[in-house]
Amino acid sequence: MPVIQVEHLVKRFGPITAVNDISFDVEEGSIFGFLGPNGAGKTTTISILCTLLSPTSGRAVVNGYDCRLEPQKVRKSIGIVFQDTTLDKDLTAYENLAFHAYIYGVKKSEVRRRAEDALSFVGLTDRKDDLVKRFSGGMKRRLEVARGLMHQPKVLFLDEPTLGLDPQSRSNLWEAIIELPEKHGMTVFMTTHYMEEAEVCGRLAIIDHGKIIARGSPEEMKGIIGGDVVYIKTRNNLKAKEEIKEALGMTAEEKDGELFLTVENAEASIPPLIRAIAETALSVRIERPTLNDVFLKLTGKEIRREEAGGADTIREEIRAWRRKH
Ligand SMILES: Nc1ncnc2c1ncn2[C@@H]1O[C@H](COP(=O)(O)OP(=O)(O)OP(=O)(O)O)[C@@H](O)[C@H]1O
Ligand SMILES: [Mg+2]
């Protein structure tokens, strides 16, 4: 049973169609990633699912409740971690969690245990009595995830949860996020434009200009590329080519003194390949297609190039300007 159902969703802002007739389902207990470049429509979609925006047309159902008709019920059943922090900076970490629990009507006797569990889950136990205004960006984001767990929502929505964090904070937060389905029985819906993060999601939708251009598991998507490329360095390319031809019925090609061939599935092809060229091979290397290759193939552009023009670059430019003035 899908926990999120989206049917022909459209959102227009005046002349701009931010979300252009998208449909998808999210299965319970999965991590679903919404991948796309800047301006693709990710935040708009997630905002509709969280009932912060209403759709122009189409339907979104979360936990069995229609986002347009039953927004209160949707809100009670979800947790939200968005980019703009809504933590109270003058409260401690623990107080922020307790306050949230109070708003959601969590039983008093439950609050302490849940807060302690949530803080330990995100690795903030030893900072629980510190004021949030003394927290780093990464700690705040982790505290928001902890807060999102306090009312035990069925679905947690995260909009670019690791954007702007340093690599260490990113990986700490990631470790917590990927454990949510198993440890807390939650479904996670998250947006990202980081390929590495999208790789970890069980299912993905790639969105560009408000349209979903591909859906499936990361592996299925990479199937669009048509296979893995195996590169082989050998003592004798001619001999190796013959051996490969004989064993696999495939013709290896040569580039920069190396042999290479595209195989459907490297795991299955490597053992017979190695057996065939055991004497002649010096080294074997596999290059798997990335989600960036998929995006490139589908749209003709790289997702990363747009990322490079994003917040980090702008921040760097502002810093440079400040140094000058
Ligand atoms: N409130 C708004 N009013 C007008 N246009 C909007 C509004 N919100 C979003 N848009 C436009 O809708 C499009 C999609 O924006 P959205 O914020 O959903 O993209 P995104 O995929 O989240 O991008 P990013 O990676 O930069 O966060 C953009 O063209 C944006 O300018
Ligand atoms: Mg966004």
Side-chain angles (χ1 to χ4, degrees), residues 12 18 40 49 58 63 90 99 105 111 116 137 154 158 169 174 183 247 256 264 269 295 300 306:
R12 290 198 195 93
L49 296 177
N63 287 317
D90 293 316
F99 180 61
V111 174
E116 279 167 5
K154 286 202 177 140
L158 303 135
S169 310
W174 250 115
K183 290 213 171 144
D256 302 332
E264 226 167 77
S269 313
F295 194 76
E306 311 210 11

Side-chain angles (χ1 to χ4, degrees), residues 13-313:
F13 296 105
I16 298 169
T17 305
V19 172
N20 192 357
D21 191 10
I22 62 171
S23 302
F24 60 90
D25 286 345
V26 177
E27 283 305 315
E28 197 168 353
S30 62
I31 298 186
F32 188 90
F34 219 48
L35 175 71
N38 290 142
K42 303 181 296 293
T43 299
T44 306
T45 305
I46 205 169
S47 303
I48 294 172
L49 296 177
C50 294
T51 76
L52 303 171
L53 275 178
S54 59
T56 304
S57 63
R59 205 165 88 103
V61 178
V62 174
N63 287 317
Y65 306 119
D66 189 301
C67 291
R68 196 205 301 255
L69 305 174
E70 302 165 289
Q72 291 301 337
K73 287 184 177 160
V74 171
R75 276 181 218 177
K76 277 219 128 168
S77 71
I78 63 173
I80 306 179
V81 179
F82 272 23
Q83 260 160 46
D84 297 329
T85 167
T86 53
L87 295 164
D88 190 325
K89 295 186 180 56
D90 293 316
L91 296 182
T92 66
Y94 180 84
E95 287 164 349
N96 265 283
L97 300 190
F99 180 61
H100 180 84
Y102 168 75
I103 290 176
Y104 275 86
V106 176
K107 268 200 262 150
K108 253 193 169 166
S109 56
E110 274 282 297
V111 174
R112 181 165 294 275
R113 188 185 58 78
R114 282 199 201 175
E116 279 167 5
D117 283 354
L119 286 164
S120 125
F121 183 66
V122 298
L124 285 176
T125 301
D126 53 348
R127 306 297 300 261
K128 82 183 200 340
D129 295 321
D130 288 356
L131 293 179
V132 168
K133 64 179 161 204
R134 310 244 153 78
F135 277 17
S136 70
M139 287 159 66
K140 280 187 210 144
R141 208 66 66 75
R142 278 189 278 153
L143 183 60
E144 286 202 74
V145 172
R147 187 179 59 175
L149 305 178
M150 286 301 287
H151 60 290
Q152 300 182 331
K154 286 202 177 140
V155 187
L156 189 65
F157 287 97
L158 303 135
D159 191 16
E160 309 242 10
T162 63
L163 191 73
L165 301 185
D166 62 76
Q168 177 74 39
S169 310
R170 264 179 81 185
S171 82
N172 283 346
L173 183 58
W174 250 115
E175 278 168 30
I177 291 172
I178 58 180
E179 286 189 339
L180 287 171
E182 206 171 302
K183 290 213 171 144
H184 292 266
M186 263 181 210
T187 307
V188 175
F189 182 100
M190 58 170 293
T191 70
T192 183
H193 58 259
Y194 291 117
M195 300 293 154
E196 313 89 288
E197 295 183 354
E199 291 275 352
V200 186
C201 298
R203 321 269 321 157
L204 282 177
I206 299 186
I207 181 166
D208 187 39
H209 294 304
K211 284 255 179 220
I212 289 181
I213 55 171
R215 264 187 315 178
S217 67
E219 288 312 312
E220 281 164 0
M221 291 210 178
K222 290 183 210 164
I224 298 172
I225 301 294
D228 305 323
V229 184
V230 184
Y231 291 88
I232 312 145
K233 281 203 174 95
T234 82
R235 281 177 232 288
N236 183 338
N237 280 352
L238 212 60
K239 184 158 177 260
K241 268 190 182 176
E242 281 166 17
E243 290 166 342
I244 292 167
K245 180 91 189 162
E246 199 167 307
L248 302 177
M250 295 176 74
T251 308
E253 291 174 73
E254 207 170 325
K255 191 172 101 186
D256 302 332
E258 241 180 351
L259 295 184
F260 73 94
L261 65 164
T262 307
V263 296
E264 226 167 77
N265 175 344
E267 261 96 34
S269 313
I270 289 278
L273 178 69
I274 302 240
R275 275 195 294 277
I277 53 171
E279 300 286 303
T280 7
L282 293 170
S283 68
V284 177
R285 156 171 79 84
I286 304 165
E287 273 191 16
R288 294 180 181 279
T290 64
L291 288 170
N292 198 49
D293 296 329
V294 176
F295 194 76
L296 183 66
K297 176 148 181 160
L298 293 172
T299 67
K301 60 185 181 183
E302 302 216 19
I303 207 166
R304 286 202 185 109
R305 196 182 308 145
E306 311 210 11
E307 181 184 318
D312 291 344
T313 316

